Amino acid sequence: MMLRKNLALKLFITVIAASLLVGCNKTRDYKNSSRATGWKMNAKEGGFQYDPKYKEQQTGPGLVFVEGGTFTMGRVQDDPMHDWNNSPNQQHVQSFYMDETEVTNLMYLEYLDWLKKVFPPTDENYRKIYEGAVPDTLVWRNRLGFNEVMTNNYLRHPAYAEYPVVGVSWIQAVEFSNWRTDRVNEMVLETEGITARNARYDVEPGETFSTETYLNAPTLTYGGNDSITRGGKKSESIAKRSTDSTNLYVGRQDGLLMPSYRLPTEAEWEYAALGLVGLRNYNVYRGKKKYPWEGQYTRSGKRRSRGDQLANFKQGDGDYGGIAGWSDDGADITAQVKSYEPNDFGLYDMAGNVAEWVADVYRPIVDDEFNDFNYYRGNVYTKNAIGEDGKVKVVTMDSIIYDTLSNGKIIARNLPGEILQVPVDENETYLRTNFSESDNRDYRDGDKRSSRYYQSFADDESESGDGANRMYNSPIQKVYADSTGTLDRQYDKSSNRTTLVDNEVRVYKGGSWRDRDYWLDPAQRRYFPQDMATDYIGFRCAMSRVGSKSKKGKRPRN
């Protein structure tokens, strides 16, 4: 009898202890202590610092959220062009953000105004920085057309302020995106009181703010100056330390700074244009959607707007807008942004108005056999340059890298204040299985690994320029600039060239005001040299999402 009582008592104690332990585990949230060690977080004594209040990534200026998913990329309708460059394939893209409209003239003029103030073009040392960023307004000229009004007014006249910017090359679009990243994050730090108010207006040309410089070497931000002088008096520190007890600079672990603005990949752009989020139709999910809107036609079927065009495009020969007094699309050239209804992601003009640059290098085939997740061709991996003192090298006025493009235009590929980038080397690639070199634009498409019996298409290595590594036999135009700025243009006069495709051509997507409705299909793809511009190609920016796939990490209901 006594034995049974003891066993019962032990069982009772065990159950109570287990209940207490479970209850303790349920209430422990690890917000202020480590799940790994139990140590206190964010302690004044030196505990690990992290922000337990972080919820999710904030939406950057101008952006809308695009929840990722799977879709059929490529041709899903008839292919009268028979290009065979967009065969259907299943792809998945992660969630990201995208500009709700194309980048407008007003947005780009803000960029030019900043460059003019920080790097005055009247100073010979800075002139090429500004001139290299100015759009090519001569793209509007036509030998048998009178378009001088656009040549002189389209970029700068307030009547066109909210129209999409054109005449911008792919390279210029990338540089704008880099500038936008730094200006947005600079404002974030100022708003949070991390940097001095209006510090962005009180910097020298070699002391501009760079996000990557702040994150990797914060003491070198704004040229390494801790204070500025206004009206003969020293003002507060430009690169002020954060106000917490640890006296540390803001880092990635704080979740305060935005990821980079960039051009969207081709897969992201096509996925976003389709706007599948608002549909629950199996055929559409499997790739039967032709336009960013629902339906197979370019005219509205709704009662109140029946017959109205849903995008700005060329209706036919000599018909860019319709009959006067009853215009089909309300525009003859480009149209003001938001002139048409957005798609289900809230994105405007994903068909028509202007075609848009995307990040990818063009190839006729999308290599879905190698990768079907966040597909992108164009990776060139770099790393921060490190000096002999062990510190990162920050670009100065004497170390700006200028590129002379094939059309003779000279542009700056980095600005003072940024960290100098160099190709990754064996220190990063040794024994890796996921990449083995810096430049991967040719991967599985012409490099030595692509074919066991690969041979160069060029007659010899001297003609090809880069020998057996060159896959496509495209023209090679060479332009050199001497110390006085005089250009030596060497034209490729070879009659053996067979293609215009090489590593310097980029994909552009979507139809434009100059295109027929065939090109409004988001699946269609074309290419253009990355250093050239037209009057019908613009761009919009994207930003990667970090963290959960959906907003606030909520899973869809069953």
Side-chain angles (χ1 to χ4, degrees):
M1 192 64 151
M2 184 63 68
L3 180 61
R4 290 182 178 178
K5 287 183 178 181
N6 290 337
L7 289 174
L9 182 59
K10 288 182 179 179
L11 180 61
F12 176 75
I13 293 173
T14 302
V15 170
I16 293 299
S19 300
L20 290 174
L21 183 61
V22 170
C24 182
N25 287 336
K26 283 184 177 180
T27 57
R28 183 174 297 176
D29 56 15
Y30 295 103
K31 288 183 178 179
N32 297 311
S33 62
S34 167
R35 193 186 299 272
T37 64
W39 291 359
K40 187 177 181 180
M41 296 284 196
N42 304 315
K44 294 182 179 180
E45 296 78 12
F48 180 76
Q49 303 297 313
Y50 105 109
D51 183 8
K53 298 180 181 179
Y54 180 81
K55 298 299 182 183
E56 67 173 12
Q57 179 178 345
Q58 297 298 309
T59 303
L63 303 176
V64 297
F65 176 67
V66 178
E67 183 173 345
T70 184
F71 76 112
T72 301
M73 180 179 178
R75 185 184 68 253
V76 295
Q77 303 293 329
D78 294 336
D79 185 24
M81 301 292 289
H82 296 291
D83 281 341
W84 302 107
N85 67 346
N86 58 350
S87 299
N89 61 93
Q90 199 77 4
Q91 292 287 338
H92 190 102
V93 295
Q94 284 185 289
S95 298
F96 61 101
Y97 299 84
M98 181 178 273
D99 272 333
E100 64 174 347
T101 71
E102 303 101 337
V103 171
T104 64
N105 286 319
L106 183 61
M107 294 167 67
Y108 203 89
L109 285 174
E110 186 179 2
Y111 168 49
L112 295 179
D113 180 69
W114 183 90
L115 288 177
K116 181 181 289 187
K117 289 177 178 177
V118 177
F119 305 103
T122 53
D123 190 318
E124 187 61 29
N125 294 324
Y126 312 142
R127 180 172 56 85
K128 293 177 182 177
I129 295 178
Y130 178 79
E131 290 181 353
V134 175
D136 182 5
T137 59
L138 299 183
V139 295
W140 288 105
R141 284 182 170 168
N142 186 307
R143 283 174 291 230
L144 294 179
F146 182 71
N147 298 330
E148 289 304 292
V149 64
M150 276 85 79
T151 300
N152 297 326
N153 295 285
Y154 183 81
L155 174 63
R156 301 183 185 276
H157 197 285
Y160 294 112
E162 294 298 332
Y163 283 57
V165 66
V166 297
V168 175
S169 69
W170 182 92
I171 293 176
Q172 289 174 314
V174 170
E175 294 305 316
F176 171 88
S177 303
N178 295 337
W179 167 85
R180 188 176 177 185
T181 300
D182 292 336
R183 302 292 74 76
V184 169
N185 282 328
E186 189 176 26
M187 191 65 195
V188 168
L189 291 177
E190 180 180 317
T191 302
E192 294 294 324
I194 306 302
T195 57
R197 185 177 181 182
N198 295 328
R200 60 190 185 278
Y201 298 123
D202 295 277
V203 295
E204 296 298 323
E207 301 173 356
T208 56
F209 176 87
S210 166
T211 301
E212 290 302 313
T213 301
Y214 182 84
L215 290 172
N216 290 277
T219 58
L220 300 180
T221 305
Y222 289 122
N225 290 333
D226 292 328
S227 62
I228 56 176
T229 301
R230 293 176 181 164
K233 296 181 179 180
K234 269 197 171 184
S235 182
E236 61 181 330
S237 169
I238 292 181
K240 185 174 61 177
R241 291 176 183 265
S242 59
T243 56
D244 65 14
S245 60
T246 60
N247 206 32
L248 296 175
Y249 290 98
V250 171
R252 295 189 195 276
Q253 69 274 11
D254 296 290
L256 185 63
L257 298 179
M258 299 276 184
S260 298
Y261 282 83
R262 56 177 175 79
L263 291 180
T265 67
E266 180 180 4
E268 286 175 336
W269 193 97
E270 188 170 329
Y271 174 81
L274 286 171
L276 301 178
V277 67
L279 300 172
R280 294 295 182 267
N281 184 297
Y282 181 75
N283 286 329
V284 171
Y285 166 75
R286 297 301 301 171
K288 299 300 181 183
K289 192 177 183 186
K290 186 174 183 179
Y291 298 116
W293 52 85
E294 190 172 2
Q296 300 295 306
Y297 306 100
T298 63
R299 294 183 183 273
S300 172
K302 297 179 181 179
R303 177 178 297 179
R304 297 186 62 180
S305 58
R306 191 183 304 277
D308 289 351
Q309 290 289 1
L310 298 173
N312 174 23
F313 64 99
K314 184 178 180 180
Q315 314 294 318
D317 290 344
D319 184 358
Y320 289 85
I323 301 171
W326 191 78
S327 178
D328 278 354
D329 61 24
D332 40 28
I333 54 170
T334 57
Q336 183 172 323
V337 297
K338 295 189 177 183
S339 294
Y340 302 91
E341 292 295 317
N343 71 0
D344 288 333
F345 279 126
L347 301 169
Y348 293 85
D349 294 320
M350 295 302 286
N353 214 18
V354 291
E356 299 177 19
W357 289 114
V358 296
D360 294 57
V361 170
Y362 176 81
R363 289 294 185 269
I365 302 233
V366 172
D367 190 358
D368 61 311
E369 292 184 358
F370 185 79
N371 182 39
D372 57 5
F373 180 75
N374 286 346
Y375 186 87
Y376 167 62
R377 179 180 288 279
N379 282 311
V380 179
Y381 300 123
T382 61
K383 62 179 180 179
N384 296 337
I386 306 297
E388 296 180 356
D389 57 358
K391 298 180 180 180
V392 295
K393 291 183 177 180
V394 176
V395 178
T396 63
M397 289 305 302
D398 297 328
S399 59
I400 299 176
I401 297 177
Y402 290 97
D403 272 357
T404 303
L405 307 182
S406 62
N407 58 5
K409 193 166 189 175
I410 299 175
I411 66 167
R413 295 305 297 268
N414 53 24
L415 293 177
E418 299 176 358
I419 297 178
L420 182 65
Q421 297 294 301
V422 295
V424 298
D425 53 27
E426 191 176 355
N427 292 326
E428 288 76 29
T429 62
Y430 180 64
L431 291 184
R432 286 192 178 274
T433 58
N434 54 334
F435 71 97
S436 58
E437 57 189 24
S438 173
D439 190 343
N440 296 272
R441 291 175 296 178
D442 265 340
Y443 184 65
R444 284 170 58 94
D445 190 35
D447 62 345
K448 292 181 179 179
R449 292 168 293 173
S450 302
S451 173
R452 184 177 179 182
Y453 303 107
Y454 174 79
Q455 292 181 350
S456 172
F457 283 96
D459 296 335
D460 54 51
E461 293 193 6
S462 62
E463 182 183 353
S464 67
D466 49 358
N469 286 327
R470 189 163 185 265
M471 171 66 177
Y472 292 95
N473 185 24
S474 56
I476 302 175
Q477 317 287 358
K478 296 180 179 180
V479 183
Y480 302 97
D482 59 23
S483 58
T484 64
T486 302
L487 297 178
D488 177 19
R489 298 179 174 88
Q490 298 181 11
Y491 298 94
D492 189 337
K493 299 181 180 180
S494 172
S495 60
N496 298 322
R497 302 307 183 196
T498 58
T499 181
L500 294 176
V501 175
D502 57 26
N503 285 345
E504 310 301 323
V505 297
R506 301 285 172 166
V507 179
Y508 68 95
K509 301 280 284 184
S512 75
W513 65 275
R514 278 192 176 276
D515 295 314
R516 301 294 292 269
D517 58 347
Y518 169 78
W519 296 106
L520 302 185
D521 183 347
Q524 304 305 336
R525 52 202 305 262
R526 291 173 282 181
Y527 64 90
F528 204 72
Q530 67 181 24
D531 55 4
M532 299 180 68
T534 74
D535 61 354
Y536 60 86
I537 300 180
F539 70 102
R540 71 181 74 208
C541 296
M543 178 186 289
S544 299
R545 176 173 172 83
V546 294
S548 61
K549 176 179 182 289
S550 58
K551 284 280 191 176
K552 298 182 180 179
K554 293 182 178 179
R555 297 187 63 186
R557 295 179 179 179
N558 294 329

